Amino acid sequence: MAAFAHSAPCWADVQLSDLEAGKRFYGGLFGWTFRAGDGMPFADALSGGRLVAALAAKKDGRMPTAWGVYFSTGDIRATVASIREHGGQIITDPVRAGRAGIVAEAADPGGAVFGLWQPEERAGFEKQNDPGSFCWTEVYTRQPDRVDPFYEKVFGFRGTDLDEAGHDVSDDTEALVDFRMWSPEGVEPGPDTAVGGRSVITDAFPAEMPSYFLIYFAVADCDAAAELAVQLGGRVAQPPFDIPYGRMAVLHDDQGAAFAVLQPSELLP
């Protein structure tokens, strides 16, 4: 399995109240098959026989029903120390996930939660950027002045700002979008090298709405995926619309977890 560069998004999972219902929804939407987690309350999701994500049963009903993203690190304890040093919080200290690797959970200064993954036997995604697999993530925050330097210092990201007219996913409007793309350390920053991004939650949302990461999955047909999600019991938060990189929609599964689907430009008719 190919290794992931430091700071690259390398895994995604969703916390659900009903694991079996989650399998039916995502199996129907993306064609995923599932592999039991050796008696554990989670299931690996596979697309074409390759790992793409995991579905996990919530241990506590008070936990949010939400997708989460994990960033790769070669030294999870050093990354944890850097998170604390630069204004973040550690939610779960590093713990071993069997022989697969070491995992921790953290929050940035704006409160958005993300995971860290130090790989051992499992590096992360075995498939990405193809239909049915992870292709992008971005954090939505009200505090870009605190969040931007945090990710740049902790992960070494280099930013590319795209202050241009576009579609604001956070409130479904056409407006000037304050958006920053992040590229890993050691490469020329720009759209061709970006691994994630940062957008801003506008005042159109209630003040109590938390910061969050939005996970994107590639699809062959955005409009068809949105229609199918509704047929499977989910709902459409933002109907399909065009962006410079393809056509996307924001959806909720049948238990309320939000995610996005993207039909890349090269797959548009």
Side-chain angles (χ1 to χ4, degrees):
M1 188 184 300
F4 287 79
H6 173 71
S7 79
C10 66
W11 191 244
D13 63 19
V14 63
Q15 301 289 324
L16 299 171
S17 297
D18 188 333
L19 185 59
E20 293 305 313
K23 291 179 183 179
R24 290 191 294 272
F25 179 87
Y26 289 102
L29 183 62
F30 294 133
W32 289 351
T33 57
F34 299 93
R35 182 172 66 198
D38 298 325
M40 300 296 286
F42 69 89
D44 286 328
L46 300 99
S47 175
R50 293 184 286 170
L51 286 167
V52 290
L55 277 56
K58 291 197 288 187
K59 299 176 184 178
D60 185 332
R62 294 170 296 181
M63 294 173 62
T65 301
W67 277 96
V69 65
Y70 295 77
F71 295 95
S72 184
T73 174
D75 188 338
I76 198 167
R77 296 193 181 280
T79 304
V80 162
S82 182
I83 288 169
R84 289 190 169 114
E85 178 185 354
H86 294 105
Q89 295 182 328
I90 300 303
I91 299 171
T92 304
D93 285 316
V95 293
R96 184 169 294 280
R99 296 189 298 271
I102 303 171
V103 64
E105 192 174 39
D108 68 25
V113 175
F114 60 91
L116 300 173
W117 181 250
Q118 180 179 319
E120 292 184 354
E121 291 188 0
R122 176 180 292 196
F125 301 120
E126 294 178 340
K127 175 182 179 180
Q128 55 182 326
N129 300 318
D130 291 326
S133 65
F134 172 91
C135 64
W136 184 253
T137 188
E138 58 204 25
V139 63
Y140 283 80
T141 183
R142 286 188 174 85
Q143 302 182 51
D145 292 344
R146 296 182 65 200
V147 165
D148 288 349
F150 170 82
Y151 287 103
E152 288 159 12
K153 291 173 181 175
V154 170
F155 290 125
F157 288 151
R158 300 177 67 192
T160 302
D161 289 323
L162 300 177
D163 292 320
E164 57 187 27
H167 195 105
D168 189 341
V169 175
S170 68
D171 65 1
D172 196 22
T173 61
E174 297 293 332
L176 186 67
V177 178
D178 178 1
F179 187 78
R180 172 170 290 190
M181 285 185 167
W182 283 320
S183 298
E185 190 174 23
V187 301
E188 186 66 26
D192 292 340
T193 60
V195 296
R198 183 273 298 147
S199 195
V200 175
I201 300 173
T202 70
D203 292 337
F205 279 93
E208 60 269 20
M209 180 178 178
S211 300
Y212 65 98
F213 272 91
L214 182 64
I215 311 300
Y216 288 63
F217 295 100
V219 292
D221 187 324
C222 178
D223 293 75
E227 291 178 9
L228 181 55
V230 173
Q231 293 172 17
L232 293 166
R235 66 182 179 88
V236 177
Q238 265 98 39
F241 59 93
D242 294 326
I243 62 173
Y245 308 101
R247 186 165 174 81
M248 68 167 288
V250 181
L251 312 175
H252 289 263
D253 68 19
D254 59 339
Q255 299 180 58
F259 62 99
V261 292
L262 173 68
Q263 180 180 350
S265 298
E266 59 268 25
L267 297 181
L268 291 173

